[in-house]
Amino acid sequence: MKKVNKKKSAPAQPTADRKKKEAAPAPAPEREEKKPAAILQAQAEEKAPEKESAALQLQETQAICETLPKTDGQKTEKGGKGMKILFAASEGLPFIASGGLGDVAGSLPKALRERRQDCRVVLPLYGDMKPELRQKLHYLCNFTVQLAWRNQYCGVFEATENGVTYYFIDNEYYFRRNGIYGFFDDGERFAFFSKAIVDMLRHIDFKPDILHCNDWQTALVPVYLNCYYRVDEFYRDIRTVFTIHNIQYQGQYGPDMIGDVLGLPQGFVEYEGCCNLMKGAIVQSDIVSTVSPTYAHEILDEWYAHGMDRLLRENCWKLRGILNGIDTVGYDPQTDKHIYKNYSAAEPEGKAVNKQNLQRDMGLCQSGDIMVVGLISRLVSHKGLDLVKYIFPRIIEEGMAVVVLGSGDYMYESFFQEMAATYPDKVAVRLGFIPDLARKIYAGADVLLMPSKSEPCGLAQMVACRYGTIPVVRKTGGLADSIIDLGDPDGCGYTFQSYNAHDMFGAIKRAQGLYYNKPAWNRAVQHAMQVDFSWNKSAGEYIRMYEELNERR
Ligand code: GLC
């Protein structure tokens, strides 16, 4: 266990002196970047009351896109000294996860660590964490966090996993509940988490060069930092990155929340009459990133941006997109203990055994002639499920079987349950977040369907390839950046462009066409398994981004 240098630590409660300073918010630090003329002009136009036409807006967006920094994956990372990075997230494997953010917070810090960066992670200490994982935690210290008029206890625990140090923020009132999100006071819970992260830095033996925050739950970290802490020498040179994993979830609340709960002056998080935590992070962070280059461009457009396009266009000089990778050691059909039989690109025969077992366990007709389509997804509208609903009977009529795993909106859950009742040996549905079953589907299905309306990155299409399951995806966000259509010799999946059920069906039919051409299909499967979806390239891009920020200190 790391020793805490209590002497170095500042008192947990702010002194009277410091309180006075806090009353006058510090101005945001001067930014060094110059905004390109095209952006300034676009911003000026943006202030005009009405947009003249959709075409004009598209031109505007394209002009801004031209100015986005291009991430160059070819450059080799500097081998120099490692940096200290604190990765703040509301979930992270192996401790707790409910979706893709948990995967990234598990695998990216590990990849950075392997590349000599001192990357550590901070998570809330949820009551839902499995007891065997909780056992690994050691108590480190405690202090009081001030949140508006509240003074709340905060404990810090520590654990090491895969060489990465994890800090856990403990407050049982906020985090000892069943489930991790979806409570009436989520805004307050994660405001506490964010403030506690900033306070914690004074109490542990680790001062990061870069604080890397993720999604709205940690959006207030750069806000609190700039609003209250920069006056303190200790905090002055910490740089911040804010990564958007999904722009749909912004942490939006009524305006009363700002003073009474967050304890912030109005301007920092006020956006279009509401309290919007993501707005605060976009404005206050040194760099805003998202999880694929295509999504970084898409969110400048109102079709994708859920109301944030104006703000993002104003801040696009600090916006960039870096494609996620997956943990290729954790997701490896050759060693995966949860699948029926291990296999690899060199010896792919075991995949057929996985298919037979999956068909049996899911109550489907057991036949190698039926193409099995997997759908592993949160069952929500932006995953493109309306297209699937629209065309579903045709998929079955064409002799395919469908396995659905996920949970979400009642409308989709009940639709898929109804389909399973209508076609019992062709459609199987399991509602829930069941990681072990997901792995069995990756291994046993022939095709994975991801027709997302928008997809910031998507990890399932990469995992599918790794397990020799051909993805059928809509060309959007990270799906466009990771899956090349099999019309190209380098292809590893099937893609379609417009958000249209018939186009999606066309892509599924192209997959089925290849499926019945066994030699060609086997070649495609083998190739998909060999595509490199690891963090090799993207971890280097993150390091270069951190280095660029570090040079600004
Ligand atoms: C969110 C996004 C998904 C992305 C993941 C990790 O879940 O919806 O596209 O892959 O975050 O960044």
Side-chain angles (χ1 to χ4, degrees):
M1 182 175 123
K2 202 153 266 317
K3 269 198 182 160
V4 186
N5 187 343
K6 299 279 180 201
K7 277 187 191 146
K8 271 198 220 161
S9 304
Q13 293 289 339
T15 58
D17 218 355
R18 177 137 159 237
K19 269 186 187 160
K20 257 188 245 154
K21 284 182 189 160
E22 286 178 357
E30 262 182 36
R31 313 228 170 273
E32 288 154 16
E33 294 84 350
K34 295 266 178 299
K35 297 186 185 183
I39 299 170
L40 292 173
Q41 192 191 334
Q43 285 173 10
E45 282 168 19
E46 195 51 41
K47 294 204 174 89
E50 288 292 327
K51 287 220 167 47
E52 270 138 52
S53 69
L56 188 65
Q57 194 192 345
L58 188 67
Q59 271 177 12
E60 223 175 75
T61 303
Q62 281 166 349
I64 294 172
C65 285
E66 294 298 305
T67 67
L68 281 184
K70 307 246 182 322
T71 42
D72 177 5
Q74 305 312 312
K75 278 201 257 164
T76 52
E77 77 210 45
K78 288 186 202 163
K81 61 177 175 71
M83 277 166 295
K84 292 184 185 162
I85 302 136
L86 183 62
F87 195 92
S90 55
E91 52 183 271
L93 285 172
F95 293 99
I96 194 98
S98 76
L101 171 61
D103 277 274
V104 172
S107 55
L108 174 58
K110 188 171 140 217
L112 293 169
R113 189 87 202 183
E114 285 160 6
R115 288 159 182 80
R116 297 188 304 279
Q117 308 301 313
D118 189 356
C119 181
R120 306 188 185 191
V121 182
V122 57
L123 302 169
L125 180 52
Y126 295 109
D128 262 5
M129 193 193 295
K130 287 189 183 140
E132 61 271 25
L133 290 167
R134 189 175 268 268
Q135 265 180 9
K136 300 185 175 184
L137 275 45
H138 305 281
Y139 169 79
L140 212 54
C141 58
N142 77 75
F143 47 89
T144 302
V145 172
Q146 213 187 351
L147 196 63
W149 47 266
R150 301 160 193 79
N151 285 310
Q152 300 288 30
Y153 164 86
C154 175
V156 180
F157 286 73
E158 186 192 42
T160 307
E161 197 67 21
N162 294 317
V164 178
T165 300
Y166 289 78
Y167 298 107
F168 295 89
I169 298 292
D170 177 37
N171 176 298
E172 295 199 346
Y173 166 67
Y174 287 130
F175 299 126
R176 194 171 174 183
R177 306 182 185 184
N178 294 326
I180 61 182
Y181 312 122
F183 299 99
F184 74 99
D185 58 348
D186 276 359
E188 180 178 333
R189 295 169 71 221
F190 290 105
F192 165 80
F193 179 52
S194 300
K195 194 123 192 286
I197 292 170
V198 185
D199 284 337
M200 175 185 84
L201 303 181
R202 275 290 199 186
H203 297 267
I204 60 172
D205 232 358
F206 181 72
K207 180 185 164 189
D209 303 311
I210 313 284
L211 243 169
H212 186 160
C213 305
N214 294 274
D215 275 350
W216 74 264
Q217 295 89 348
T218 51
L220 288 178
V221 171
V223 177
Y224 283 128
L225 199 61
N226 284 1
C227 182
Y228 290 127
Y229 292 77
R230 295 291 193 191
V231 286
D232 180 342
E233 184 85 47
F234 177 86
Y235 288 99
R236 207 157 291 162
D237 58 354
I238 298 175
R239 292 284 164 253
T240 51
V241 176
F242 178 66
T243 297
I244 300 170
H245 293 260
N246 194 333
I247 202 151
Q248 188 170 2
Y249 308 109
Q250 300 168 4
Q252 285 170 293
Y253 299 95
D256 293 351
M257 174 99 173
I258 301 174
D260 185 54
V261 177
L262 311 183
L264 282 167
Q266 206 72 10
F268 279 82
V269 285
E270 195 269 336
Y271 189 59
E272 299 187 339
C274 294
C275 164
N276 186 318
L277 307 192
M278 188 180 274
K279 176 251 166 139
I282 291 172
V283 175
Q284 300 303 329
S285 300
D286 295 308
I287 286 186
V288 177
S289 79
T290 185
V291 287
S292 69
T294 296
Y295 195 62
H297 288 85
E298 286 174 343
I299 55 179
L300 298 174
D301 188 281
E302 66 181 340
W303 202 79
Y304 286 99
H306 293 270
M308 297 304 250
D309 46 313
R310 177 178 64 78
L311 184 74
L312 282 167
R313 287 200 295 274
E314 281 169 14
N315 286 278
C316 74
W317 51 278
K318 56 173 161 175
L319 175 66
R320 61 187 71 192
I322 301 179
L323 189 68
N324 285 333
I326 56 168
D327 174 3
T328 46
V329 176
Y331 287 117
D332 183 354
Q334 202 166 1
T335 52
D336 192 331
K337 292 193 184 68
H338 301 286
I339 64 176
Y340 300 100
K341 187 171 179 7
N342 292 122
Y343 60 99
S344 65
E347 292 177 18
E349 298 73 31
K351 183 148 174 76
V353 179
N354 280 285
K355 178 169 173 174
Q356 281 161 15
N357 282 282
L358 180 71
Q359 286 175 320
R360 187 202 56 224
D361 286 0
M362 301 298 273
L364 296 173
C365 177
Q366 273 182 274
S367 158
D369 290 339
I370 298 174
M371 186 175 93
V372 174
V373 179
L375 198 150
I376 304 172
S377 175
R378 274 184 302 121
L379 302 181
V380 294
S381 120
H382 81 263
K383 294 292 180 183
L385 300 173
D386 294 325
L387 304 188
V388 182
K389 261 182 87 177
Y390 189 79
I391 211 88
F392 199 85
R394 295 262 330 257
I395 298 176
I396 304 305
E397 280 160 23
E398 292 294 323
M400 302 176 216
V402 180
V403 178
V404 179
L405 172 64
S407 60
D409 294 350
Y410 176 74
M411 176 173 68
Y412 300 116
E413 290 188 352
S414 57
F415 169 77
F416 286 121
Q417 281 178 317
E418 191 189 321
M419 290 300 104
T422 314
Y423 309 104
D425 59 349
K426 299 198 181 66
V427 181
V429 177
R430 299 288 182 275
L431 298 180
F433 177 72
I434 315 172
D436 297 356
L437 178 58
R439 286 167 180 269
K440 290 188 170 69
I441 300 174
Y442 287 127
D446 298 300
V447 157
L448 186 88
L449 183 59
M450 289 184 80
S452 306
K453 198 184 275 180
S454 69
E455 193 60 76
C457 177
L459 303 171
Q461 78 281 13
M462 305 188 200
V463 178
C465 285
R466 182 113 177 101
Y467 284 70
T469 297
I470 300 295
V472 173
V473 306
R474 189 170 98 78
K475 241 175 154 205
T476 183
L479 298 173
D481 293 339
S482 57
I483 302 303
I484 300 175
D485 192 276
L486 271 155
D488 187 291
D490 278 344
C492 59
Y494 286 98
T495 65
F496 64 100
Q497 184 81 61
S498 32
Y499 190 67
N500 175 303
H502 297 283
D503 287 8
M504 178 191 78
F505 188 62
I508 299 174
K509 283 294 292 172
R510 284 200 292 139
Q512 197 187 25
L514 194 76
Y515 179 73
Y516 288 122
N517 176 351
K518 280 296 162 211
W521 179 259
N522 291 339
R523 271 197 305 279
V525 166
Q526 267 183 315
H527 173 64
M529 292 182 78
Q530 285 161 335
V531 177
D532 182 8
F533 288 113
S534 72
W535 280 101
N536 274 340
K537 182 177 167 224
S538 300
E541 291 193 37
Y542 273 108
I543 294 170
R544 280 191 292 283
M545 178 176 83
Y546 298 145
E547 278 173 350
E548 183 191 319
L549 269 182
N550 215 21
E551 279 157 19
R552 290 188 206 166
R553 278 149 49 104

